[in-house]
């Protein structure tokens, strides 16, 4: 279980790093040895003081970890959390030791829903395209 938890931590880091490198290079990098798939999303922000609208662009990565699920890093976080909680032996020490993992599950599932709503408002049709490429939120093939 300890090795599984450390794998969860390492894979969570790897997923975040993959996205960071992609953003830093503006998509001019390799993801898992190939040119990355992504959506170029345009959106508009309005300065609340001046009312001036500015068009912006974001790249939505749909390769590597980010092509498997929109928040696949949450799966790795949950893997680590459940591993740590099971190491505390809930069968002997009671279910309270599972609180962290269960709380984190609820938190991350809710956060993925809120992120979807926020991105839908921000990116509109571009986010619809992205969701077609990456249909799952956290666990590929399930959710």
């Amino acid at each position: 279980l300890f090795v599984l938890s450390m794998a969860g931590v390492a894979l969570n880091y790897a997923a975040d790093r993959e996205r960071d490198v992609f953003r830093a290079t503006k998509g001019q990098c390799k993801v898992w040895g190939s040119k990355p798939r992504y959506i170029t999303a345009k959106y508009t922000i309005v300065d609340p003081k001046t009312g001036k609208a500015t068009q912006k662009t974001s790249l939505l990565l749909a390769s590597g970890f980010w092509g498997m699920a929109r928040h696949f890093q949450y799966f790795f976080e949950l893997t680590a959390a459940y591993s740590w909680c099971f190491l505390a032996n809930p069968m002997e020490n009671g279910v309270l030791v599972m609180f962290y993992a269960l709380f984190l599950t609820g938190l991350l599932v809710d956060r993925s829903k809120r992120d979807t709503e926020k991105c839908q408002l921000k990116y509109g049709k571009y986010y619809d395209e992205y969701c077609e490429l990456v249909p799952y939120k956290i666990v590929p093939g399930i959710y």
Side-chain angles (χ1 to χ4, degrees), residues 28-98:
Q28 302 303 307
C29 63
K30 299 256 185 195
V31 174
W32 293 5
S34 300
K35 184 178 177 185
R37 262 188 337 167
Y38 59 90
I39 300 291
T40 302
K42 296 179 190 211
Y43 61 99
T44 303
I45 60 168
V46 178
D47 185 318
K49 293 179 183 174
T50 64
K52 181 182 176 192
T54 305
Q55 179 123 1
K56 297 268 195 177
T57 301
S58 286
L59 303 179
L60 307 177
L61 179 59
S63 288
F65 292 114
W66 303 94
M68 298 179 77
R70 296 189 297 269
H71 299 286
F72 199 34
Q73 83 279 21
Y74 292 174
F75 177 76
F76 300 135
E77 286 184 43
L78 292 170
T79 298
Y82 277 93
S83 297
W84 293 327
C85 289
F86 283 126
L87 281 170
N89 195 357
M91 297 301 282
E92 192 170 302
N93 295 312
V95 295
L96 187 59
V97 299
M98 295 302 296

Side-chain angles (χ1 to χ4, degrees), residues 13 38 125 137 140:
Y13 173 80
Y38 59 90
K125 67 180 180 179
K137 290 183 182 179

